[in-house]
Amino acid sequence: MLDIVKRFFKIAFREWTLFYTDSLAVLLLVVASLIYAIYYPLPYMKEISEKVPAGIVDLDRTAFSRELIRMADATQDISVYKVYNTSEEARDDLAGEKIYGYMEIPKGYESEVRKGSNVTLGVYGHGAFLMLYRNVATAFSTVALTQGATVKVKRLVARGNSLAEAQAIRDPIPVRFYNMFNGINGYGAYVVPAVLMLVLQQSLLIGISILGGPRKNRHFKSLRGRDQHEDAPFFLRYFGRSAAYLVHYFSFITIYHFGIYNIFGFPQRGDLFTLFAFGLAFFGAVVNMGMWTAQFFERRETGMQIFLCLSIPFLFMSGFSWPRSYMPEWIQILGAFIPTTYAIPAWLALENMGASLKDVWHYIIDLYLLGGFYLILGLTIGKRHDFIRHVWEQRGSQRLAEHLKKFHPFS
Amino acid sequence: MSQLFSYETPRHLSVGVVVEDMSQLSMRIIQGLRASSVVKFDTVCEDLPHCEAMLRQGKIYAVLYIPADMEKDALRSETPKLSLYVNAQSMLTGNLISKEIRSVVGAVGAKLEKKNIPEPISTELHTIGNPTSSYIFFLLIGIIAAIFHIVVMSCGVFVFSWPFREKTTSDWYYAANQSPVIAVLGRYVPLLFVYWLEFLIITVLVRHAVPMSNMEFYVIAAGEFLMIAACLGMSLSFVGVSGSMRLATSAAGVIGGPAFAFTGQTFPLLAMPVFVQWFAFCLPLTHFLRAQSAMFIGDVGISHAMDSLQILGGQVIFWLLLGIVTMTHQIKKYVRAEEDA
């Protein structure tokens, strides 16, 4: 028994040393998760898009319209890039991405308002930049409503109401809005944590595939001369190597928690113990998925190419930007087999929202179930390959030899 | 991916409610919200911490808090304050819910106050090129281009480095009459046309709902051609410089993988650090998306789209030349090595 335990740890340690001695493994299992974690948040360092350039088409050219322009320029959301004479000029700048939206003040704006009429201002945004359009629409609507509120209160006072009554009549049930868990509504805090989980999953899947998963007798340069554990019994090989990946990836949870979250100032409410408990379920599922998928790749690079191309679909399938319940059923089913589908909301809840393990227990259970599912697949396929190899070694069949050539081409 | 966004806008988003005022007014607000197709009001919490826990569990997206004596305060013109707590970690749903609740509560409030008069100044919102504010036009067409960007780079690396990997460079070289340029173009040109055709078909399929003008189609088709040509040129250069499938695939992954984040489609380029803006400028995807976005504005966008296509054209020339020069060196090196072996 002690021998088995010793051998298990030796296999795990041997696999772990490969992460630092095999050049491709270093790149994928050590460098990639760090580089991406630093490189991906860079565009969002400012977190919020303040002072988005916007334009105003002023067809009225009165003191009242100029006041509106000044108010718009004073908002935090937008800055008035230019005041245009025609909407064609504004559209030209919109197409050139000099502005991301504009407001059109109609001719006779001031006089119509003074007469007591209701005036509608057109706010136009770029349909390809909905996130920025929101800034533009919010800022223009707010300043228009603010200017309108002043006029409205004056009209109500003129009808015999007190100032306090007029203010209450103007907006009888105001709503206060609070952003929970991401106070400044930062874009980086919204998108980066989800991507970090994807990076961990993809780098681990690719890493396992380039090292051959549970394959027997791999022929890596870095293993040359010290490969006495390459023909270990299947279960020892499978679980020993899995343990190396699992433990290694806990270090990234620590680095992300103490390093990346602090460097980029993301909301950090989780504690390390809870995150490790989550990591056990998440990495367990990913490692088993990797140990299974790795057995289908004939070359070390194949996994890289496939999982690289699948990164974007995996990210969106998780429902972090678009609710999963609003995806077609077949995509939801497909997504149910991807660990990040559960890991992304669980990580966000634990680390960004300060949830307890109890709050995210349903995700953790799903991750364990997924891990169990992939474990059965990985063990079945791996054991089958080992069995075929054993039979071939006994009988020397040509057909089996060809099968093995496909299964053990790693060099 | 187009199926993923097929609902265009999410509906029936779960919102929890804490009601401390069991009055007619609060019932009217809840009824108004129950009639809405955007939000789903099926979770009544005992108190705020209960709802907060449900927010953390991902069961609801927001919490509406109706304070005690809301109706009394409203009737006494003391402006009671409803509070909406939104999970800002889910940006899209948060924005949709805030907008809907503001509108429904505003409508109920307007009916409550008989002395109220209409707003003297209102706004009318229009999204040019995307009248329904559909995610298909905002996000999907960008994501599809981003997927092509990475797939073309990654597969380009695979195809160009295959002979090095399989030690068949001599066969390739001699089949091209010992001309590295012909050898490279023999792989580059078919790939270019296959991916371009694929991209065109997908564009037509995805954008069938809103017909494109002929000019828009031509500009987008030209942009797709140039983007694929530039991506293949980049993968050629990665293989040419590294001489290895593994390193070149890694380079394609690092540069192409997160490219969409750097293009300014979801977060403005202007708000990014200058060095990130320069990096974004080097990516073919940035210029293709700019050309595509410019065409949203109609004919006015053509000249701006052409500027982006010119930059893409420049990138094609640069990467192709660099790729051919470096691949010439690598092909000769591998041929020598194979002949020596």
Side-chain angles (χ1 to χ4, degrees), chain A residues 27 36 39 92 119 121 123 125-127 133-134 152 159 176 178 180 187 299 301 322 326 328 353 359, chain B residues 3 7-8 11 56 82 84 86 95 117 119-120 122 124-126 128 165 246 253-254 266 293 304:
Chain A
L27 205 63
Y36 268 120
Y39 159 66
D92 190 43
V119 180
L121 304 173
V123 174
H126 200 310
Y133 170 60
R134 216 157 274 146
K152 192 174 175 178
R159 290 181 182 197
R176 288 182 295 195
Y178 298 95
M180 299 283 284
Y187 196 75
R299 285 172 188 79
E301 298 83 356
W322 185 267
Y326 284 88
M353 294 154 74
D359 288 330
Chain B
Q3 283 291 301
Y7 283 97
E8 290 203 3
R11 298 263 176 252
R56 288 199 174 101
L82 265 70
L84 182 72
V86 176
N95 288 328
I117 54 171
E119 291 295 333
S122 55
E124 201 173 74
L125 307 178
H126 307 269
I128 301 173
R165 172 77 169 78
R246 290 169 193 174
V254 169
T266 53
S293 306
H304 296 285

Side-chain angles (χ1 to χ4, degrees), chain A residues 47 74 132 148 168 176 199 202 245 266 273 281 300 384 388 408:
Chain A
E47 282 282 352
L132 300 178
R176 288 182 295 195
V199 166
Q202 299 302 89
Y245 292 105
F266 300 142
F273 171 75
R300 297 186 76 185
R384 181 175 164 267
I388 291 169
H408 291 277

Side-chain angles (χ1 to χ4, degrees), chain A residues 50-113:
Chain A
E50 290 174 332
K51 295 287 176 193
V52 171
I56 293 181
V57 179
D58 186 2
L59 301 176
D60 193 43
R61 299 274 169 186
T62 57
F64 198 56
S65 69
R66 280 193 294 276
E67 184 190 297
L68 191 65
I69 295 167
R70 275 196 302 275
M71 283 164 71
D73 199 32
T75 62
Q76 195 66 17
D77 283 333
I78 58 166
S79 69
V80 177
Y81 172 76
K82 197 173 169 182
V83 178
Y84 301 93
N85 293 319
T86 63
S87 54
E88 284 72 26
E89 289 173 27
R91 279 189 181 228
D92 190 43
D93 277 355
L94 195 65
E97 292 181 31
K98 287 180 183 145
I99 56 171
Y100 291 95
Y102 66 91
M103 178 166 71
E104 194 172 299
I105 304 173
K107 197 164 173 54
Y109 171 60
E110 182 175 3
S111 60
E112 288 299 316
V113 172

Side-chain angles (χ1 to χ4, degrees), chain A residues 44 49 121 174 226 247 273 317 326 333:
Chain A
Y44 313 122
S49 47
L121 304 173
R226 50 188 196 113
V247 173
F273 171 75
M317 269 184 199
Y326 284 88
I333 294 171

